Amino acid sequence: MATLFVTILILLVQLVNSASSLQIHFYNNSCPRAELIVKSVVRKHVLQDPSIPAGLLRLYFHDCLIHGCDASILIDSTDDNVAEKEAPPNLTLRGFEVIDDIKASLEKQCKGVVSCADILALATRDGVSLSGGAAYALPTGRRDGTVSTMADVHIPSPSFSLSAALSVFQGIGLDLVDMTTLLGAHSVGLCHCGFFIDRLYNFEGTGLPDPDMDPGLLDTLRQQCPPHVVTLNNISKDPTVFMDQHSNTPFRLDASFYHGVLSEKAVLQLDQGLAFTDLTSKLATKYANRPEVFRKQFSKSMIKLGSVNVLTGEQGEIRLNCRTING
């Protein structure tokens, strides 16, 4: 027991030290225009496709959840390694081309200086801002990981219970408030029918729909996701619906998601579960009634997420190409 306690203590110290070595405007001297370049490229892509911020948010979360925020999700597979992005939960990730575009622009300005991990973190921050969230100050100084393996990928399923999902969040140092808040990112973007098809037709093997889904929403989603067109074995071709069915602004990051949760109009089972526990339902009600509180806490939780198991100092590397490990 004593050995286990010491091991946990060492890991916590390492985590705190890594996070504390990140700095606001880390590239002020080495690449002064870095953050301006990132924002400019993200804005260009958002103008062409307003769903980009949602794609970046999901890409960022899937990266930070495995190994920490080290851009390992961006690495391509090789002949002798199947990378994280090939794992089933990652096959519908989007936004890789945005990161490639930013990296190319930064390499012209400051070769070998800005990490892919920071690019992904900054691009996601700017996507949040451009879609209605706050433009929070983000500490930078992350370095890039050199390991990306499909077998390491364990992502919470949309059908997870809140307690199962919370254990995953707690495993990377986030708490119930962070989880409830970060799920608010589901106010933007699209969702594949395959992620919730069981709620429409055969919830938990009953042959019936999920009783916790609003009947009007059930009818709407059944029209958009008839069972004969849902392709679970090839989800990249699966139909999509707007993630936030309660909102008239599906590409705006706001507290509308929580109105949907409270009226049983959440698309995903995990999201709907927020309405059924004491603390999460109280938070959902607070966010729905006070959107500014949600925006402020979302920024705090995103900064906290971005500090998970980061590589700094001499750890890792600065990839010259975000898709490949140097050398």
Side-chain angles (χ1 to χ4, degrees):
M1 182 64 71
T3 301
L4 177 61
F5 176 76
V6 171
T7 301
I8 293 173
L9 185 61
I10 291 172
L11 289 173
L12 288 173
V13 169
Q14 289 175 339
L15 177 61
V16 170
N17 287 343
S18 294
S20 63
S21 62
L22 299 179
Q23 304 171 27
I24 301 294
H25 302 309
F26 177 83
Y27 297 104
N28 260 4
N29 295 323
S30 59
C31 192
R33 298 187 64 248
E35 294 197 26
L36 292 175
I37 290 171
V38 174
K39 188 170 186 177
S40 175
V41 175
V42 173
R43 182 186 290 112
K44 179 190 72 174
H45 281 273
V46 171
L47 288 173
Q48 296 170 350
D49 179 357
S51 72
I52 286 295
L56 291 173
L57 275 162
R58 188 160 175 253
L59 186 62
Y60 187 47
F61 176 73
H62 282 226
D63 180 55
C64 293
L65 196 60
I66 310 301
H67 301 307
C69 306
D70 66 349
S72 56
I73 191 65
L74 305 177
I75 296 173
D76 286 341
S77 296
T78 61
D79 290 340
D80 57 358
N81 179 66
V82 182
E84 290 174 29
K85 62 171 59 173
E86 305 297 335
N90 292 337
L91 293 177
T92 55
L93 292 179
R94 303 168 54 247
F96 295 102
E97 74 286 354
V98 180
I99 305 304
D100 290 339
D101 198 358
I102 296 169
K103 182 62 172 176
S105 297
L106 285 171
E107 286 299 293
K108 292 177 182 177
Q109 185 79 21
C110 319
K111 187 174 180 61
V113 172
V114 184
S115 70
C116 300
D118 275 342
I119 290 172
L120 180 53
L122 289 167
T124 304
R125 186 273 306 271
D126 292 335
V128 166
S129 174
L130 291 167
S131 59
Y136 51 90
L138 179 70
T140 44
R142 298 165 189 79
R143 287 171 65 86
D144 299 324
T146 57
V147 176
S148 181
T149 305
M150 184 177 75
D152 293 339
V153 176
H154 301 284
I155 304 291
S157 164
S159 61
F160 265 30
S161 66
L162 277 188
S163 59
L166 179 59
S167 68
V168 175
F169 276 77
Q170 290 175 330
I172 60 171
L174 303 183
D175 58 26
L176 186 60
V177 172
D178 297 315
M179 184 182 78
T180 304
T181 306
L182 292 175
L183 285 176
H186 289 167
S187 65
V188 292
L190 302 164
C191 181
H192 286 271
C193 293
F195 288 135
F196 59 86
I197 192 70
D198 61 316
R199 297 191 72 203
L200 308 184
Y201 301 102
N202 188 27
F203 182 64
E204 295 184 348
T206 62
L208 299 171
D210 186 344
D212 292 327
M213 180 177 284
D214 172 79
L217 176 62
L218 175 63
D219 290 341
T220 297
L221 293 179
R222 279 181 163 179
Q223 293 175 27
Q224 296 174 290
C225 304
H228 63 276
V229 302
V230 175
T231 54
L232 290 172
N233 60 334
N234 188 358
I235 204 166
S236 62
K237 295 183 178 179
D238 192 40
T240 57
V241 303
F242 286 125
M243 180 67 84
D244 188 353
Q245 292 285 315
H246 192 270
S247 173
N248 293 320
T249 55
F251 300 117
R252 184 167 182 80
L253 181 65
D254 56 28
S256 63
F257 166 80
Y258 298 99
H259 288 281
V261 166
L262 295 170
S263 58
E264 298 188 345
K265 293 181 180 178
V267 171
L268 299 181
Q269 181 182 346
L270 173 59
D271 294 346
Q272 190 56 69
L274 294 174
F276 304 130
T277 73
D278 186 48
L279 178 57
T280 57
S281 63
K282 286 181 179 178
L283 274 173
T285 301
K286 178 189 287 188
Y287 291 160
N289 293 331
R290 299 181 61 192
E292 73 284 358
V293 175
F294 164 67
R295 291 176 83 247
K296 185 175 181 179
Q297 182 59 49
F298 191 83
S299 298
K300 289 182 178 179
S301 294
M302 285 294 290
I303 293 170
K304 189 174 176 181
L305 173 65
S307 299
V308 170
N309 294 332
V310 293
L311 302 174
T312 58
E314 298 300 315
Q315 299 172 316
E317 63 182 19
I318 305 297
R319 275 184 238 140
L320 301 178
N321 180 333
C322 291
R323 293 175 178 266
T324 61
I325 297 168
N326 293 344

